Amino acid sequence: MNQAEFYWRLQRLSGLCAMFCLVLTMLVIFDGLRTGIFGSADIRLIPAEEYAISGPMPPKTQELENFVIDGQPQDLSIQLIPENIFTGYWLGGSMWRGRIIVDTHPQPGTYILKVRDQHEEKQNPALVFTVRVFASALDKQLHSPSYVVRKTGLNPYVMAVILFLSGCFWGLANYLLGRKWNAVLSAHGCGEIFRLKKIDNVMEAGIELKDAEKIPLGTIFALVHPARGDLGQGYVIASVKNKITLRVATDVPIRLGDIACPIHA
């Protein structure tokens, strides 16, 4: 049974790996949602980087030349540059698109850039852009609101896909090892306990076995477990197609998943 124990341990390990990967997948997705959809909408940039933006036209404004942009530093190391006007996809109104550009030597910090009209109308919140500028890519990573990004530098959703695929791999390995484990048990005439029931101060254990109907009533089975060793004995009180029922004393510490093997005289 050493071979069976080997496959049992591998199956157990693969199952734990699959569970670990899938639990981590959920945690990483939560991290991405927490810092993405439910997190800050700040635009995070580093030197020599740019970011495409768009928004509705300011009130009473028809031309890009009439935009008033507040919040840019005096040296224009961070600039918001409107580029063209287009028709909105949903409501069909006029919108504009452009870029936020950071030069090669900006002062790190937070900048609030606002686009408005020339007539001092109420500021449209959709035209307020909070830009956080970091000294380097590493500085940006270390100050990310995402734990995954801070520790690995990877997008949380990319990490989630990697972990999910790893979990699927280990889950498949667990399934195949389980089949191998059952095949080895079957080759030794053994099977796993899949049902336990206490009746009149004795235990009845159900075991799946190939050609169970050929096993005579009264046949004695040893009860074992790869990790807990020998547990005791039981004897056959019923056998039907692929299933037998053992009667076992209540002081025998058997559990679901324990192994029953016939004792040959």
Side-chain angles (χ1 to χ4, degrees), residues 16-178:
L16 290 173
C17 288
M19 180 181 68
F20 179 72
C21 288
L22 294 177
V23 169
L24 277 183
T25 297
M26 292 187 288
L27 291 176
V28 169
I29 290 175
F30 173 76
D31 179 72
L33 291 174
R34 179 182 63 84
T35 58
I37 295 176
F38 304 121
S40 171
D42 294 355
I43 299 169
R44 301 163 55 83
L45 300 174
I46 60 175
E49 193 173 23
E50 61 182 57
Y51 185 87
I53 58 171
S54 63
M57 295 293 288
K60 300 180 181 180
T61 302
Q62 302 297 324
E63 304 292 338
L64 296 178
E65 291 76 12
N66 296 327
F67 280 21
V68 176
I69 301 173
D70 296 327
Q72 298 180 137
Q74 291 185 351
D75 60 2
L76 296 181
S77 56
I78 293 95
Q79 295 185 72
L80 189 156
I81 302 177
E83 295 182 325
N84 57 69
I85 297 173
F86 67 99
T87 301
Y89 302 113
W90 296 105
L91 301 178
S94 294
M95 299 187 68
W96 62 274
R97 62 169 62 93
R99 293 175 296 158
I100 294 176
I101 299 177
V102 181
D103 73 11
T104 56
H105 296 89
Q107 179 65 37
T110 300
Y111 300 84
I112 299 177
L113 308 182
K114 300 179 180 179
V115 178
R116 59 179 177 85
D117 57 37
Q118 298 175 334
H119 308 287
E120 300 295 335
E121 296 287 337
K122 183 178 179 181
Q123 176 68 55
N124 185 343
L127 297 177
V128 178
F129 305 93
T130 301
V131 181
R132 292 190 63 188
V133 177
F134 298 90
S136 64
L138 178 60
D139 185 41
K140 179 181 177 181
Q141 175 186 329
L142 295 177
H143 288 86
S144 172
S146 166
Y147 179 84
V148 173
V149 173
R150 288 198 303 271
K151 296 301 180 181
T152 69
L154 291 176
N155 182 293
Y157 301 112
V158 172
M159 176 65 78
V161 170
I162 294 172
L163 287 170
F164 177 74
L165 293 177
S166 298
C168 290
F169 168 80
W170 286 113
L172 177 62
N174 180 260
Y175 170 74
L176 294 176
L177 286 167

Side-chain angles (χ1 to χ4, degrees), residues 183-235:
V184 172
L185 289 180
S186 180
H188 287 81
C190 304
E192 284 187 295
I193 297 176
F194 69 90
R195 184 187 70 245
L196 282 175
K197 183 166 59 174
K198 187 174 182 180
I199 300 176
D200 298 331
N201 295 321
V202 294
M203 296 292 294
E204 289 190 359
I207 295 97
E208 290 190 0
L209 283 178
K210 184 179 180 181
D211 298 326
E213 67 276 6
K214 297 179 181 179
I215 298 176
L217 299 182
T219 300
I220 298 175
F221 275 70
L223 302 168
V224 299
H225 187 271
R228 300 182 356 257
D230 294 332
L231 305 173
Q233 296 181 353
Y235 62 91

